[in-house]
Amino acid sequence: MSEITDTLETTAENPVAGIDQTSGNFKYDMTYDFDAGTGLSDRTVDYISAVKKEAPWIREFRQNALKTFQSKPLPTHWATKDLENINFDKIRYYLSQGLKPKRTWDEVPEDIKRTFERLGIPEQERKFLAGVEAQFDSEAAYSNIKEAVAKQGVIFMNSTEGLREHPEIFRKFFGKVIPTGDNKFSALNSAVFSGGSFIYVPPGVKVSHPLQAYFRINAENFGQFERTLIICDEGSELTYMEGCTAPKFSTATLHSAVVELVALKGAKIQYITVQNWSSNVFNLVTKRGLAHEESEIKWIDCNIGSRLTMKYPGVVLKGRKARGEVISIALANDGQHQDTGAKMVHAADETTSTVVSKSISVGQGRATYRGVVHIPRGLKGCKNNTECDALLINTNSRTDTYPSITVRGDRHAVQHEASVSKVSADQIFYMQQRGLTEGQAMSLSVNGFVNDLARQFPMEYSVELKRLIDLEMEGSVG
Amino acid sequence: MSSLEIKNLHVSTGDKEIVKGVTLTINTGEIHAIMGPNGTGKSTMAKAIAGHPDYTITQGDVLIDGKSILEKESDERAREGIFLAFQYPSEIPGVSIANFLRAALQARMAEGEEIDASGYYKRLYQKMDLLKIDRKFTSRSVNEGFSGGEKKRSEILQMAMLEPKFALMDETDSGLDIDALRIVSDGVNSLRGPNLGILLITHYQRLLSYIVPDHVHVMIDGRIVKSGDKSLALELESRGYDWVKQELATA
Ligand SMILES: Nc1ncnc2c1ncn2[C@@H]1O[C@H](COP(=O)(O)OP(=O)(O)O)[C@@H](O)[C@H]1O
Ligand SMILES: [Mg+2]
């Protein structure tokens, strides 16, 4: 028997379900068909590559990435020192089989069951999420979608399969939007990635339904080092949704995904994430899109939970009249730090970017916004609009905004607005006077604060987001 | 019939005593007006009864039907039938009136019970028509960017929807022009009945010619110094608060 929840010393309570992830009763007995063991070396990387039967170029790519990872320092000169608490030697970098848990549904704590109930999570997924079932078997649903979109020529598969079956497309774009050495964690991902999606949409094809990673939850995909690559060919359109709003009772404490999007001329990509990590997780994700002429890339990103999230979705506006947009909502509860933002790199004339960020800090929670808008000399007619709003739920919460805007030349329109507001005692009293409990009053305030953004989400996501906020806020008033 | 009893109520904020021993019983079916100059403690008393955390009740009691409510949280008091129409209502950005009221009604239902949406809107629109409030109003955020008159009307709308046993109406007339005053008063009068007791706080007699009270009390410096029927309000209007103060001084 082994325990994989012990990469961190600190005890972290999950505020959503009140589950102590590090306490003794959350252990699994595991047998893995393939297991790279703990720690990271070139042997680990070779092992992963061998298990996946990868082509030599990929193996080489991984090995180079490993070197980059090892040579790069942690970015603690600007980011939080908490990163230093990640013990890279204790992490398992590859698990191919699901967990074989020994606990039964009866042993799952009542409050977790209630949480699932409240979130309206289907029976079978509950078992998986609670660690009762090793696999969430949704292959059937997944292959239906896969077949349906295949009729339009859309390729939608696991990135491992993508590499094997479509190397010609994969290789052309892979690692081009986010180079290995972009940051220490993109290098780590490049060395040990597995899971994630590969999507190619042919020219002119408009995928009518959003594709969802949600259908493909399994041990690998649930994983720590997903790699997603999405290419929308000229004039095509796609909406992709990832994540699931159920609290992830993750057994792994480091999640470091890389997502690359490529929108060719006139294409439109919308990438939606709603994530609710348990509060022992470091969630360090690199997401970027490359927008060609007249194309549009939009990131909608909701981050709830985790110990530390660092995520700054970006768009490189490479072609004339390309548009980029980031909409993000972050909720930092006690003991959590949401360090999020956006990066907009203008690299062509008449490109437009928009950033709207809303953060909520509760109790000791901390929300940081970092934004980069870069418009180099020599371009004309570029526009950026940035708006960051922070909501503080009590006086202990802190929020920081670090916008960095470099605009060279004077033929551009750039706007930046920031606001910090508080839920005041009078506001809570007003709502309580109408009969709402303190928790209900708080969640109503928070939902009101994010309301204009949440309305842009697909229906089921905004409903789930609301439920999540309710749960978080109820928990926060004890 | 229900009763709201205020017994020898003393209220402080910080070290400062503001309400200094008020005794008053309001039965459902009755309207009591409290009049008094600015800064006498009228709002403080209303907020303390509703359970505002800034105010401490240092002495006395508040009871509904003989049972003290002071141990209860403000939301419990609200659900037991206390409604405060605020002098200065708070804004709740991003939360529409319709959603807010729905949540407030939902909070009054038993667990597992769901509010019936179509019935709810029907009732809401009916009350809005009564108060001559435009339908578009429902989608606006609570009190955000409302004019003074709109805020007051929205308070009365909430009162109409939540059907309290006791309404503490704090300066509901302030900031209203004559037309709005008439509409709001008509609204309040239509809610008047055997199941509602009202404490009407005002420092003008103007309102009281539209909403005619059964009893009038004068509050000065945290105490009720004079009580009478509706004619007291008229007397106050013509003779001013100094008259009461002088009476007090010579007594
Ligand atoms: N939260 C508070 N903190 C300090 N002083 C207060 C507070 N609320 C009211 N007061 C004071 O109490 C007195 C009575 O105020 P208030 O109850 O608003 O009077 P009224 O409603 O009769 O005009 C005033 O002197 C006011 O400044
Ligand atoms: Mg007042």
Side-chain angles (χ1 to χ4, degrees):
Chain A
M1 199 170 103
S2 61
E3 191 183 348
I4 54 171
T5 57
D6 60 357
T7 47
L8 290 163
E9 310 298 332
T10 325
T11 298
E13 286 249 351
N14 184 314
V16 176
I19 183 174
D20 181 351
Q21 303 258 339
T22 56
S23 79
N25 61 3
F26 208 78
K27 289 178 182 168
Y28 300 97
D29 235 359
M30 294 173 302
T31 27
Y32 293 105
D33 275 358
F34 300 106
D35 181 346
T38 58
L40 185 57
S41 67
D42 41 349
R43 281 193 49 226
T44 328
V45 168
D46 278 344
Y47 181 87
I48 295 170
S49 207
V51 165
K52 291 174 165 293
K53 302 188 176 69
E54 288 175 342
W57 73 270
I58 290 281
R59 180 184 298 235
E60 215 169 290
F61 177 91
R62 288 182 185 274
Q63 285 295 0
N64 287 335
L66 178 65
K67 289 194 195 85
T68 309
F69 169 72
Q70 284 161 340
S71 67
K72 264 195 179 303
L74 283 166
T76 46
H77 60 287
W78 59 270
T80 166
K81 294 253 181 287
D82 196 19
L83 284 176
E84 286 166 4
N85 292 315
I86 302 172
N87 188 340
F88 291 101
D89 294 332
K90 278 195 171 178
I91 290 169
R92 278 169 196 276
Y93 290 88
Y94 182 71
L95 315 169
S96 113
Q97 276 290 310
L99 306 166
K100 292 260 170 29
K102 69 169 185 190
R103 76 160 152 186
T104 66
W105 183 245
D106 287 341
E107 291 169 271
V108 176
E110 277 308 311
D111 54 344
I112 295 182
K113 288 183 186 170
R114 264 199 307 277
T115 303
F116 289 148
E117 191 83 41
R118 292 279 308 274
L119 289 169
I121 295 166
E123 199 71 33
Q124 227 218 322
E125 290 169 44
R126 290 182 202 184
K127 290 184 176 163
F128 170 73
L129 291 163
V132 171
E133 238 153 60
Q135 290 265 327
F136 170 54
D137 183 18
S138 60
E139 279 303 310
Y142 167 55
S143 43
N144 281 344
I145 293 174
K146 197 174 153 173
E147 274 163 33
V149 294
K151 290 198 184 104
Q152 293 178 287
V154 176
I155 303 167
F156 177 29
M157 54 180 56
N158 183 302
S159 62
T160 307
E161 291 170 331
L163 262 170
R164 256 198 313 260
E165 293 175 28
H166 301 279
E168 73 295 345
I169 311 175
F170 210 105
R171 196 168 179 175
K172 187 169 163 197
F173 296 100
F174 177 66
K176 298 293 190 324
V177 186
I178 301 171
T180 296
D182 187 79
N183 63 75
K184 190 170 176 76
F185 295 96
S186 63
L188 176 63
N189 177 283
S190 300
V192 299
F193 69 90
S194 69
S197 298
F198 170 65
I199 299 174
Y200 170 78
V201 185
V205 171
K206 296 187 167 69
V207 182
S208 55
H209 291 290
L211 297 186
Q212 266 179 297
Y214 189 62
F215 288 111
R216 301 187 297 110
I217 300 173
N218 57 42
E220 188 182 52
N221 212 40
F222 213 39
Q224 315 171 54
F225 305 106
E226 299 155 45
R227 183 92 192 192
T228 288
L229 174 60
I230 297 177
I231 299 126
C232 273
D233 215 323
E234 294 190 3
S236 68
E237 286 177 23
L238 172 75
T239 296
Y240 183 78
M241 305 204 278
E242 78 166 346
C244 97
T245 53
K248 285 188 174 178
F249 300 107
S250 177
T251 49
T253 47
L254 173 62
H255 292 256
S256 192
V258 167
V259 178
E260 296 177 288
L261 310 181
V262 180
L264 295 175
K265 189 178 175 185
K268 278 187 186 170
I269 306 178
Q270 179 163 271
Y271 192 105
I272 304 168
T273 306
V274 177
Q275 258 159 357
N276 180 26
W277 295 102
S278 54
S279 56
N280 58 337
V281 168
F282 285 90
N283 183 34
L284 312 169
V285 172
T286 312
K287 288 180 164 170
R288 200 170 302 149
L290 186 63
H292 288 267
E293 201 174 329
E294 289 177 8
S295 72
E296 184 180 305
I297 291 179
K298 179 170 179 173
W299 298 98
I300 296 181
D301 212 73
C302 298
N303 299 290
I304 292 174
S306 84
R307 170 173 172 166
L308 171 67
T309 288
M310 286 170 65
K311 196 200 281 186
Y312 323 96
V315 182
V316 178
L317 301 150
K318 196 182 172 213
R320 216 182 113 260
K321 288 193 169 169
R323 292 179 303 280
E325 190 169 347
V326 172
I327 289 178
S328 78
I329 294 175
L331 196 160
N333 220 322
D334 268 334
Q336 302 173 349
H337 184 179
Q338 301 283 0
D339 196 317
T340 57
K343 252 184 204 175
M344 292 296 183
V345 179
H346 292 253
D349 290 343
E350 295 171 74
T351 46
T352 310
S353 62
T354 307
V355 178
V356 186
S357 151
K358 297 217 178 198
S359 70
I360 302 118
S361 315
V362 188
Q364 307 287 328
R366 189 174 162 197
T368 308
Y369 171 82
R370 284 175 215 282
V372 173
V373 177
H374 183 68
I375 305 179
R377 203 182 301 279
L379 296 186
K380 59 176 194 294
C382 299
K383 275 189 208 143
N384 166 265
N385 214 325
T386 299
E387 187 190 325
C388 341
D389 299 316
L391 183 71
L392 303 183
I393 302 281
N394 69 39
T395 47
N396 295 334
S397 325
R398 59 180 288 185
T399 176
D400 311 288
T401 305
Y402 305 104
S404 156
I405 300 177
T406 41
V407 181
R408 302 278 146 72
D410 51 8
R411 289 172 292 180
H412 311 293
V414 178
Q415 249 184 39
H416 181 264
E417 274 175 54
S419 79
V420 178
S421 48
K422 273 189 182 182
V423 174
S424 68
D426 274 327
Q427 194 182 336
I428 296 296
F429 175 65
Y430 184 79
M431 290 190 263
Q432 281 192 271
Q433 211 302 305
R434 298 303 184 244
L436 301 171
T437 63
E438 192 184 354
Q440 289 167 337
M442 293 244 211
S443 56
L444 206 57
S445 292
V446 173
N447 274 304
F449 175 68
V450 301
N451 187 30
D452 53 338
L453 295 190
R455 266 201 299 247
Q456 301 187 35
F457 297 6
M459 183 66 178
E460 73 262 35
Y461 269 60
S462 59
V463 168
E464 284 189 54
L465 182 69
K466 183 183 174 306
R467 284 208 201 102
L468 268 183
I469 288 173
D470 289 349
L471 277 172
E472 283 283 314
M473 299 321 296
E474 272 169 39
S476 74
V477 293
Chain B
M1 194 187 74
S2 278
S3 68
L4 175 68
E5 271 176 278
I6 303 162
K7 275 190 179 165
N8 187 31
L9 191 72
H10 290 253
V11 183
S12 296
T13 178
D15 293 337
K16 195 170 147 204
E17 180 161 72
I18 294 165
V19 177
K20 300 167 182 169
V22 169
T23 298
L24 180 65
T25 299
I26 301 159
N27 295 308
T28 45
E30 297 174 354
I31 295 189
H32 291 246
I34 289 200
M35 302 182 69
N38 263 329
T40 11
K42 303 183 297 295
S43 294
T44 299
M45 182 172 86
K47 283 193 266 184
I49 294 170
H52 194 294
D54 282 357
Y55 301 98
T56 318
I57 293 177
T58 52
Q59 250 193 81
D61 208 347
V62 179
L63 311 98
I64 294 181
D65 298 335
K67 273 196 238 128
S68 175
I69 58 167
L70 295 188
E71 290 301 307
K72 296 180 198 285
E73 294 288 326
S74 53
D75 55 304
E76 286 177 85
R77 297 184 198 186
R79 294 194 298 270
E80 288 209 2
I82 301 259
F83 181 92
L84 174 58
F86 286 75
Q87 182 173 4
Y88 304 108
S90 293
E91 297 182 357
I92 316 171
V95 178
S96 69
I97 297 256
N99 281 340
F100 182 56
L101 272 172
R102 196 172 161 161
L105 284 167
Q106 184 68 54
R108 285 164 170 74
M109 300 177 83
E111 208 170 317
E113 256 183 272
E114 274 288 327
I115 204 164
D116 160 52
S118 71
Y120 163 71
Y121 275 101
K122 213 169 136 191
R123 209 161 76 81
L124 180 63
Y125 289 149
Q126 200 186 328
K127 306 287 184 197
M128 287 172 69
D129 291 347
L130 191 74
L131 291 162
K132 303 202 165 50
I133 298 175
D134 194 278
R135 294 276 159 96
K136 284 203 283 285
F137 202 73
T138 50
S139 57
R140 286 176 63 185
S141 298
V142 179
N143 295 320
E144 204 182 26
F146 284 18
S147 69
E150 284 174 327
K151 282 187 185 167
K152 298 296 155 104
R153 258 191 263 188
S154 136
E155 293 292 288
I156 305 305
L157 174 66
Q158 293 178 46
M159 176 174 148
M161 289 299 285
L162 299 177
E163 300 183 326
K165 276 193 225 160
F166 300 101
L168 317 172
M169 302 177 62
D170 196 357
E171 309 276 2
T172 299
D173 51 334
S174 68
L176 296 185
D177 62 29
I178 199 76
D179 292 329
L181 184 65
R182 192 168 288 130
I183 293 165
V184 165
S185 306
D186 286 351
V188 174
N189 285 328
S190 75
L191 299 174
R192 202 169 175 168
N195 300 319
L196 174 65
I198 294 178
L199 183 69
L200 207 56
I201 296 172
T202 180
H203 59 269
Y204 295 115
Q205 120 67 31
R206 188 177 75 146
L207 176 70
L208 303 184
S209 48
Y210 292 94
I211 306 171
V212 181
D214 302 298
H215 304 278
V216 175
H217 312 274
V218 183
M219 188 165 168
I220 288 177
D221 192 24
R223 290 183 186 89
I224 289 182
V225 296
K226 205 170 173 56
S227 296
D229 61 13
K230 62 183 179 199
S231 62
L232 178 58
L234 291 168
E235 202 169 353
L236 269 177
E237 170 91 336
S238 61
R239 303 177 71 174
Y241 289 114
D242 284 343
W243 158 65
V244 188
K245 282 183 191 163
Q246 263 160 26
E247 249 191 15
L248 269 180
T250 55

